[in-house]
Amino acid sequence: MGRPTGPYRTPAPVGTTAEPGLIPDLIARIPWPRWALITVAAAASVLIVSCLLCVLCCCCRRHRRKKPRDKVAVGLGSARSSTTTHLVQPEVGNVESNSGGPQQWGRLQLSLQYDSGSQQIRVGLKQAVDLRARSPGDTADPYACVSLSTQPGHRYETKAHRGTLNPVFDETCCFRVPPAELPQTTLQVWLLDSRCFSQHEPLGELSLPLGTIDLRHVLELWHQLGPPGTTEAEQTGELCFSLQYVPGSGRLTVVVLEARGLSPGLAEPYVKVQLTLNQRKWKRRKTSARKSTTAPYFNQAFTFLVPFSQIQSVDLVLAVWARGPRLRTEPVGKVVLGTRASGQPLQHWADMLAHARRPVTQWHRLRPPREVDQALALQPRLRLPLPGS
């Protein structure tokens, strides 16, 4: 009797001999359909082929990267023998040492014209370029201050230009100089960085002897700026105050904050605030005195009623008074603001009008009292009509 055939075993066809094998036996024992086995086998083949291709690609990339490195190394080696020293970039220390020339302070364009008939010299401040900022990548608010060596009390300030190292001034000022004084006169120009709450920082200066220049023709030249000196530091002090104007009610508020840099020989300093209308004295107030200090702190506010129709005809004068060595109270320095002002005071006045109802605070350098009085050319006090007259 022969063995019965099972359901998973098929008899060999007639005329052939069945040789048992390991793989056919394993496949026969798996209880999966034939199509499932074929799918698994195909997926495994694809995965194996993909892994082999990835390994081959990585090997090829590494081989390709090594070749250019060898070529670059050879190129650099051959270039070292033929490179000259002037093509080598200088070190940082050499750059800093070589940059100490006058070019790091920038350049200033000036125009000069002398009128022998009126004995006046016209100084045109055109523009400045490549000014040096306080730190790399920073900007400044530069303005220029012009003076003559024979007239230290007479100065002219330009308008400050916000956020630039290449300001375009395009302003002109005049100084009266007799022909006999021209050879001994030196034109001095300072460029400063305007700061609202700190001391103005010098950016550079120019000293130009007029005796070495032919003033018979109109000159327009570029000049290199030099490092800031100590000439500009000799001043009468500074005053800090804020301005606020409300057009609707016509309220002009002046807050006198503090002063600094006053002479140590002065005693009991105080500030006078005066308004002039059409070059006539109009209204005035004054702060209380401070004792034994060169940097008095006031923080006192004064309010004036100025209609909007008269704001363009008003000049605001702030004067620091103190008792000097002669035990007599005298003016130390003054600041004039208004439409007739120039430089920083004019900029402060314009900012007040442009930002109505908002206080604008700024430091100002005090000017000699005689210079301010001559510029104002005040007439006798304005007499207002009395009630019932």
Side-chain angles (χ1 to χ4, degrees):
M1 296 180 61
R3 288 184 300 178
T5 60
Y8 301 103
R9 186 178 182 87
T10 58
V14 180
T16 61
T17 59
E19 295 182 1
L22 180 61
I23 294 177
D25 291 341
L26 291 176
I27 294 176
R29 293 178 183 178
I30 297 176
W32 285 3
R34 186 176 297 274
W35 64 268
L37 295 175
I38 295 174
T39 303
V40 172
S45 302
V46 171
L47 181 61
I48 294 173
V49 172
S50 300
C51 294
L52 293 175
L53 290 176
C54 292
V55 173
L56 291 175
C57 291
C58 292
C59 295
C60 293
R61 289 179 181 178
R62 291 180 181 179
H63 185 67
R64 290 177 181 177
R65 288 178 182 177
K66 290 181 179 180
K67 289 182 179 180
R69 289 182 180 177
D70 296 339
K71 292 181 180 179
V72 172
V74 173
L76 289 176
S78 60
R80 286 178 184 175
S81 60
S82 60
T83 303
T84 56
T85 57
H86 70 275
L87 295 179
V88 180
Q89 183 179 0
E91 297 180 357
V92 177
N94 297 334
V95 173
E96 294 179 353
S97 61
N98 294 334
S99 61
Q103 293 183 357
Q104 67 171 342
W105 303 103
R107 296 185 299 159
L108 179 65
Q109 187 182 19
L110 290 177
S111 67
L112 298 175
Q113 182 181 5
Y114 184 74
D115 187 1
S116 57
S118 60
Q119 297 184 356
Q120 286 188 344
I121 181 171
R122 296 173 58 89
V123 182
L125 296 167
K126 301 299 182 180
Q127 59 181 327
V129 296
D130 300 334
L131 297 180
R132 181 180 181 183
R134 186 175 183 179
S135 58
D138 198 2
T139 59
D141 300 336
Y143 70 96
C145 181
V146 187
S147 179
L148 296 181
S149 60
T150 56
Q151 304 174 16
H154 186 192
R155 291 174 179 166
Y156 177 84
E157 292 183 1
T158 66
K159 177 182 176 181
H161 295 263
R162 306 297 183 186
T164 179
L165 298 177
N166 302 286
V168 179
F169 301 110
D170 198 16
E171 298 186 31
T172 305
C173 57
C174 297
F175 298 91
R176 189 178 184 278
V177 183
E181 297 182 3
L182 283 176
Q184 294 81 26
T185 304
T186 300
L187 177 67
Q188 298 172 336
V189 184
W190 298 276
L191 270 77
L192 300 100
D193 183 10
S194 175
R195 301 295 178 92
C196 293
F197 302 102
S198 61
Q199 188 175 4
H200 297 185
E201 182 182 357
L203 299 175
E205 72 174 40
L206 172 66
S207 295
L208 191 62
L210 299 181
T212 60
I213 302 175
D214 186 7
L215 296 176
R216 292 176 298 178
H217 308 283
V218 180
L219 301 177
E220 186 170 330
L221 301 173
W222 285 92
H223 300 275
Q224 293 284 354
L225 293 173
T230 58
T231 308
E232 182 64 17
E234 301 176 0
Q235 50 184 342
T236 55
E238 292 180 296
L239 181 64
C240 181
F241 55 90
S242 70
L243 301 178
Q244 182 184 14
Y245 183 68
V246 182
S249 60
R251 295 171 65 89
L252 175 63
T253 304
V254 182
V255 181
V256 182
L257 296 175
E258 58 180 321
R260 66 186 179 191
L262 302 180
S263 176
L266 301 177
E268 299 181 359
Y270 64 94
V271 179
K272 282 185 179 181
V273 184
Q274 184 179 22
L275 279 180
T276 65
L277 178 62
N278 295 325
Q279 299 184 1
R280 292 177 182 270
K281 296 180 181 180
W282 188 18
K283 304 176 182 179
R284 65 180 178 181
R285 302 285 190 276
K286 70 175 182 178
T287 67
S288 57
R290 300 292 184 265
K291 297 182 180 181
S292 304
T293 177
T294 59
Y297 182 76
F298 303 101
N299 195 21
Q300 293 184 242
F302 306 97
T303 302
F304 304 92
L305 294 179
V306 182
F308 185 73
S309 59
Q310 297 178 342
I311 195 65
Q312 299 295 337
S313 304
V314 167
D315 293 321
L316 178 63
V317 183
L318 289 91
V320 177
W321 289 66
R323 186 159 45 86
R326 300 180 182 179
L327 301 180
R328 184 177 61 183
T329 304
E330 298 177 349
V332 177
K334 296 184 178 181
V335 180
V336 180
L337 295 95
T339 55
R340 296 194 301 158
S342 62
Q344 293 298 109
L346 179 60
Q347 182 67 37
H348 194 179
W349 187 263
D351 291 343
M352 177 198 70
L353 297 178
H355 304 85
R357 301 179 181 86
R358 192 179 73 181
V360 182
T361 307
Q362 191 169 345
W363 281 93
H364 292 270
R365 294 188 300 108
L366 297 175
R367 297 170 57 187
R370 288 185 179 181
E371 177 185 344
V372 175
D373 295 340
Q374 292 177 359
L376 288 176
L378 295 179
Q379 300 178 10
R381 184 179 180 85
L382 178 64
R383 297 184 180 275
L384 299 177
L386 297 177
S389 59

